[in-house]
Amino acid sequence: MADILSNSVSGLLAVQRALTTTGHNVSNANTEGYSRQRVEMSAQMPQFMGNGYIGTGTKVDSITRTFDQFVESQLRDATSDSSRLSFVQDFASQVTGVLGDTETGMTRSTEAFFNAAGDVASNPTDITSRQAFLNQAGALTDRFNRMDEQLAQLNAGLGQQADAITREVNTFAQEVADLNGKISTAFAQNPNALPNDLLDRRDQLIQNIAERINVRVDDDGAGSLNLAVGSGQSLVTANIASELTAINAPSGLEIQIEGRSITNRVTGGDLGGMIEAQNTLIQPLRSELGRTAMVIAQEVNAIQKDGFDLDGFQGEPLFNVGQSDPNAPMMGNVTASPRNGSSVSAKVEISDATLLESGRYVARYDGTDWNLTKEGGSGGTIPVDDVPGMTITFDGITPDSGDTLFIDAGLGAAGRIATEDLSPARVPAAGGVDHDNDSGTALVSAGSRDNANIQQITDLANQAVVGRSADDELDGQTIGGAISSAVSQAGSVARTAELQGESARAALDNLEARKQSVSGVNLDEEAAKLLQYQQQYQALARSISISGDLFQSVLNAVR
């Protein structure tokens, strides 16, 4: 009925809803992920009174949230990228701390070792110099061991963090699935009256997931948001959440959804940063340090065995790299993929450590043969017999098609290198075996002051013996240069992540500001609305009071 009382009552009820919503906005001004809500009103259907239409008041159509889906999608991607770079930068700082500076790092230890060899060369019969040489050899291996152990601990820490993060993601994903169910029910009842606070909570949960792993979001048009990692492995479908797991296998971090590997699709968030840190820092550094340790052991031992000690006896090896017999060949590292169907493995024997290339090889069984490729390389298949510096022998176990082995000669070798227990007199500083001699030996008198052999160890510091090719002995790096390159690589990764991170954070800040400009609660604006609604409420209350007075006047007139 079109009258002042019903019109005022409808307006009063609508203003009450607006006041409640405004108060809700003010209460959640600092709530993370909250989107400002707004009451949408419209005039009610007018009533025809013969000579025209009379208004019948107002009604509340809906309560909507101010929200920009495009900005939210961009913010989600920017969050994943920023989190990845932030993790890599922080982790790189930890790694560079392990590597040390020029005074305390690995380079300093190698220099001290070769300088000690030079001191023996200057005074071959001096026991003190010989003992200092042995001490520096022990300090060098200790430094290799300690550095590899610290890098291995950082790697183990990555696995623990990845496990904790996947459990957080699973918690968030399950809540998203639960909210999908509630929102879909509301959508089925009225697509235009959805629970705004549940929508905000779901978007915030997805944002939390994006901070940890890159996700793609698809709207199914029925109230649910489906989440997938990378190009399509489902994390949440409608009201069902899949389980995300992380395995820190010897071959590297393995991220799985319901047992299926998605590692190659994880390119953002903290998990993406962990995979990148492992692939660009931990594994390459451990491999490079191990390769250098193998070169030192091989080359120094070869020189040692060609020399003679103070008593005229032929020298013995100074180093070993995990062998029970230091004269036995060194062995490379082989790790199996956790997805292998068999227990197949391989043996890698180091034939010449100076020929070993950086990086690791991937051997994959195609059902008939093993195909060997260089990880991250653009080249094709490499014949197994043509791998520089090593001999690969696959064991007799029949592999399943698709089984994969990762071959990295240097990985972990720095943690295995050790010095043999030699006395100072047993340091073979003198002479050198004449291999052209029929007997293959040289006669060196006891107490000889000859320094020819120890001088070769001193000279080794300036020789390009790391990563050389078989047909060019000058295209490699020196031992100190190889270590410096590895350390520089870690610093380069840190610097690149820092620069890219600054750009990513700037983009993220800009998107967050854009979101706030659309969805954020402006307290000044809400205060103005409260004043407006208060005045409107008072006016409507006055209208109701007037309608009561008029009705009372009518009653009085007919008494």
Side-chain angles (χ1 to χ4, degrees), residues 147-425:
M147 191 168 293
D148 187 76
E149 179 184 7
Q150 289 175 309
L151 291 173
Q153 288 174 348
L154 287 176
N155 187 63
L158 281 181
Q160 294 171 353
Q161 292 181 67
D163 181 64
I165 285 176
T166 55
R167 283 188 273 111
E168 288 180 340
V169 171
N170 289 334
T171 300
F172 296 145
Q174 185 57 59
E175 189 173 350
V176 169
D178 294 340
L179 289 172
N180 274 344
K182 295 175 182 178
I183 294 170
S184 295
T185 300
F187 185 92
Q189 294 172 348
N190 184 354
N192 297 318
L194 297 179
N196 295 317
D197 294 313
L198 297 187
L199 294 174
D200 284 341
R201 175 60 181 166
R202 185 176 64 179
D203 287 334
Q204 183 59 41
L205 287 168
I206 295 174
Q207 192 74 8
N208 291 342
I209 293 174
E211 189 177 339
R212 291 156 176 80
I213 188 171
N214 55 296
V215 289
R216 191 187 71 199
V217 181
D218 293 316
D219 191 335
D220 69 353
S224 291
L225 294 181
N226 299 326
L227 308 185
V229 177
S231 58
Q233 190 61 38
S234 176
L235 181 62
V236 176
T237 303
N239 61 348
I240 298 175
S242 301
E243 184 179 12
L244 185 74
T245 55
I247 302 172
N248 195 18
S251 57
L253 271 175
E254 183 85 9
I255 311 299
Q256 299 178 349
I257 291 182
E258 298 294 344
R260 295 183 60 183
S261 176
I262 60 166
T263 307
N264 293 335
R265 298 189 179 114
V266 180
T267 57
D270 290 335
L271 287 175
M274 290 178 184
I275 293 172
E276 183 174 340
Q278 193 175 63
N279 291 339
T280 61
L281 289 168
I282 296 294
Q283 288 183 338
L285 274 172
R286 293 188 69 200
S287 179
E288 286 301 295
L289 291 173
R291 182 173 67 143
T292 305
M294 284 181 165
V295 170
I296 291 175
Q298 173 183 288
E299 296 302 291
V300 171
N301 283 352
I303 295 171
Q304 288 267 125
K305 289 186 289 186
D306 278 356
F308 294 87
D309 62 20
L310 279 177
D311 297 322
F313 294 110
Q314 191 166 353
E316 298 175 356
L318 178 60
F319 298 110
N320 72 73
V321 187
Q323 313 109 293
S324 56
D325 179 1
N327 293 300
M330 294 179 289
M331 307 302 293
N333 179 274
V334 179
T335 55
S337 169
R339 300 192 299 275
N340 285 357
S342 71
S343 58
V344 67
S345 186
K347 182 177 71 173
V348 174
E349 185 175 296
I350 307 302
S351 55
D352 187 348
T354 65
L355 301 180
L356 295 175
E357 297 179 345
S358 60
R360 69 178 182 178
Y361 297 87
V362 180
R364 185 171 287 107
Y365 191 71
D366 63 5
T368 304
D369 296 308
W370 285 100
N371 296 314
L372 193 69
T373 58
K374 193 70 173 291
E375 188 175 56
S378 57
T381 302
I382 303 170
V384 174
D385 295 335
D386 291 349
V387 180
M390 67 177 82
T391 301
I392 303 172
T393 306
F394 297 98
D395 61 23
I397 296 176
T398 301
D400 291 351
S401 180
D403 280 359
T404 302
L405 298 176
F406 298 93
I407 299 169
D408 191 335
L411 186 67
R416 300 192 302 271
I417 189 171
T419 54
E420 294 295 311
D421 187 15
L422 299 180
S423 65

Side-chain angles (χ1 to χ4, degrees), residues 24-25 27-37 64-69 71-72 75-76 79 179 195-208 211 511-512 515-521:
H24 187 55
N25 286 339
S27 298
N28 289 279
N30 295 316
T31 300
E32 186 178 14
Y34 179 80
S35 297
R36 176 168 50 88
Q37 297 180 16
T64 60
R65 60 177 186 151
T66 52
F67 180 75
D68 190 326
Q69 183 61 57
V71 171
E72 187 71 15
L75 184 61
R76 195 162 45 236
T79 297
L179 289 172
N196 295 317
D197 294 313
L198 297 187
L199 294 174
D200 284 341
R201 175 60 181 166
R202 185 176 64 179
D203 287 334
Q204 183 59 41
L205 287 168
I206 295 174
Q207 192 74 8
N208 291 342
E211 189 177 339
L511 286 167
E512 287 178 339
K515 179 180 178 179
Q516 281 299 310
S517 69
V518 174
S519 303
V521 176

Side-chain angles (χ1 to χ4, degrees), residues 472-494:
D472 188 349
E473 296 186 358
L474 300 178
D475 64 348
Q477 291 180 295
T478 63
I479 291 170
I483 294 174
S484 295
S485 294
V487 174
S488 297
Q489 176 62 23
S492 175
V493 170

Side-chain angles (χ1 to χ4, degrees), residues 447-461:
S448 171
R449 299 186 63 84
D450 180 10
N451 69 352
N453 205 60
I454 196 70
Q455 185 62 46
Q456 292 185 57
I457 295 180
T458 304
D459 296 340
L460 184 63

Side-chain angles (χ1 to χ4, degrees), residues 494-512:
R495 182 57 179 162
T496 300
E498 180 182 1
L499 293 175
Q500 293 179 343
E502 290 175 357
S503 176
R505 281 189 293 274
L508 182 61
D509 291 342
N510 180 56
L511 286 167
E512 287 178 339

